[in-house]
Amino acid sequence: MFCCWSMISCLPEADRIWEGSVIVKGSVFIAASLDGFIARENGDIDWLTRFEGGGTGEDYGFKAFLDTVDVLVMGRHTFEKVVMFHPWPYGIKPVVVLGTSSVQVPETLSHVVTWKSGNPTDIVRELSEQGAKHLYIDGGKTIQGFLNAGLIQRMTITRIPVLLGRGIPLFGPTNRDVTLRCMDTRQYTNGLVQSTYEVI
Amino acid sequence: MFCCWSMISCLPEADRIWEGSVIVKGSVFIAASLDGFIARENGDIDWLTRFEGGGTGEDYGFKAFLDTVDVLVMGRHTFEKVVMFHPWPYGIKPVVVLGTSSVQVPETLSHVVTWKSGNPTDIVRELSEQGAKHLYIDGGKTIQGFLNAGLIQRMTITRIPVLLGRGIPLFGPTNRDVTLRCMDTRQYTNGLVQSTYEVI
């Protein structure tokens, strides 16, 4: 806990929530099948991992994005998936796992992973008060909850050229039309198409 | 009926179905919201029409695509939507409307629009036997049915930068993973992102 969370607490107060206006920025950086799934129904991402760099070192801009992030916020299911990854993909970045009951965190990750429960607005307020300026929001339900609460400002979506037919959807019902501005699009040589959108 | 269908019947026999192998090509050319809907639940496409060229004449490659098409195949709901468009967007291209019961076709379109019922394979076989080489498959359920029957070879999907939250989905359950190859991607200045995929 110490090194990462104390670092965040030292960020400038000016970027914290101020009179109900959330200054902290929420971003999504995620891959999805062409039909909008982020995993199969059982959580498998085999269809995705076959595009992982292929020894070229290509990370589709992930490290550059992660370098701008103060805290990752993800749902329990996403955490239970990524905790199986070796190596742990987020280094010493603080990670908040959301869930209504406490989450089993391996001892090796106890200095970076914290469990929290609460609605998106309260979570963002709390992290902002701790000094976080840029949150990386991950996982289908978590992204949907933060979007509906108006707490996502930017989304980078990398489309994988496959139709899965069923699975865990990236998006879900919204409480309004969410209009976006496409900032940038890039097609990789292996057919992945990455677009970055700002929520407007 | 006469002018268009007789034109198709004169196409070379070499391109017809041969011993069960479908030589005719099926293409999709469609716009979808970022969350994968082609219309609202009630069929409305107000969120889409606001991107229509804006007086610039930009048609996102539609006319060039349509020029390569022999026959359009669409479901009844799509037809009931496009029949309200003025002018009729497909000129003298033959249009097949699929449905289990006959479709009301205005007298002004009776020379280009035909109703057919049948499964995708039989429809393609019949049109191929009439000389059609390139079919434009339109409408959510129709696209899904033709995809699952392996009768779509190319898809051009234009992503509109909006999340609708609910509506009529472009894609649906598939009977297998459908792997694609991204041939080309273009971001328009108004933020529409158009990618063309080949089914492999």
Side-chain angles (χ1 to χ4, degrees), chain B residues 148-193:
Chain B
N148 272 327
L151 297 168
I152 303 283
Q153 281 75 44
R154 184 172 285 225
M155 294 198 291
T156 296
I157 300 170
T158 306
R159 291 281 177 186
I160 311 299
V162 64
L163 302 174
L164 300 178
R166 51 186 62 77
I168 299 169
L170 169 53
F171 296 115
T174 56
N175 46 24
R176 66 193 188 291
D177 285 1
V178 178
T179 308
L180 307 123
R181 181 185 296 117
C182 187
M183 312 297 289
D184 185 54
T185 294
R186 177 175 179 185
Q187 180 184 320
Y188 289 87
T189 51
N190 59 0
L192 272 62
V193 177

Side-chain angles (χ1 to χ4, degrees), chain A residues 72-93:
Chain A
L72 285 84
V73 179
M74 61 179 66
R76 170 196 295 273
H77 294 303
T78 303
F79 175 69
E80 286 171 354
K81 194 74 196 174
V82 296
V83 78
M84 310 296 286
F85 292 174
H86 298 286
W88 173 248
Y90 310 121
I92 59 161
K93 291 280 177 191

Side-chain angles (χ1 to χ4, degrees), chain A residues 118-147:
Chain A
N119 67 48
T121 303
D122 290 342
I123 296 290
V124 169
R125 184 181 303 272
E126 185 180 335
L127 293 174
S128 179
E129 284 169 357
Q130 290 171 2
K133 291 191 293 185
H134 188 196
L135 309 182
Y136 170 13
I137 313 298
D138 204 19
K141 288 285 178 203
T142 306
I143 291 169
Q144 292 166 31
F146 278 65
L147 259 175

Side-chain angles (χ1 to χ4, degrees), chain A:
Chain A
M1 274 294 290
F2 177 73
C3 69
C4 304
W5 289 101
S6 63
M7 185 173 67
I8 287 178
S9 300
C10 296
L11 291 172
E13 197 153 1
D15 288 312
R16 298 180 186 180
I17 290 175
W18 187 252
E19 290 180 358
S21 164
V22 177
I23 299 169
V24 68
K25 177 171 137 185
S27 292
V28 168
F29 191 103
I30 201 160
S33 67
L34 194 60
D35 49 355
F37 299 110
I38 57 174
R40 295 192 195 274
E41 285 171 316
N42 65 359
D44 265 8
I45 52 168
D46 54 292
W47 53 277
L48 173 61
T49 47
R50 82 177 86 126
F51 286 97
E52 274 180 351
T56 63
E58 178 62 69
D59 75 345
Y60 308 105
F62 181 71
K63 184 179 180 305
F65 165 75
L66 194 62
D67 284 347
T68 70
V69 167
D70 297 318
V71 183
L72 285 84
V73 179
M74 61 179 66
R76 170 196 295 273
H77 294 303
T78 303
F79 175 69
E80 286 171 354
K81 194 74 196 174
V82 296
V83 78
M84 310 296 286
F85 292 174
H86 298 286
W88 173 248
Y90 310 121
I92 59 161
K93 291 280 177 191
V95 174
V96 169
V97 182
L98 302 182
T100 49
S101 56
S102 70
V103 171
Q104 197 78 18
V105 178
E107 180 58 31
T108 53
L109 294 175
S110 61
H111 62 303
V112 283
V113 177
T114 313
W115 162 69
K116 283 187 197 297
S117 68
N119 67 48
T121 303
D122 290 342
I123 296 290
V124 169
R125 184 181 303 272
E126 185 180 335
L127 293 174
S128 179
E129 284 169 357
Q130 290 171 2
K133 291 191 293 185
H134 188 196
L135 309 182
Y136 170 13
I137 313 298
D138 204 19
K141 288 285 178 203
T142 306
I143 291 169
Q144 292 166 31
F146 278 65
L147 259 175
N148 272 328
L151 297 168
I152 303 283
Q153 281 74 45
R154 184 172 284 225
M155 294 198 290
T156 296
I157 300 170
T158 306
R159 290 281 177 186
I160 311 299
V162 63
L163 301 174
L164 300 179
R166 52 186 61 77
I168 299 170
L170 169 54
F171 296 114
T174 56
N175 45 24
R176 66 194 188 289
D177 285 1
V178 179
T179 308
L180 307 123
R181 181 185 296 116
C182 187
M183 313 296 290
D184 185 53
T185 295
R186 178 174 178 185
Q187 180 184 320
Y188 290 87
T189 51
N190 59 1
L192 272 62
V193 177
Q194 184 179 76
S195 293
T196 296
Y197 294 91
E198 271 192 0
V199 178
I200 54 180

Side-chain angles (χ1 to χ4, degrees), chain B residues 106-125:
Chain B
E107 180 59 31
T108 52
L109 294 175
S110 61
H111 61 303
V112 283
V113 177
T114 314
W115 162 70
K116 283 187 195 298
S117 68
N119 67 49
T121 304
D122 290 343
I123 296 290
V124 169
R125 185 183 303 273

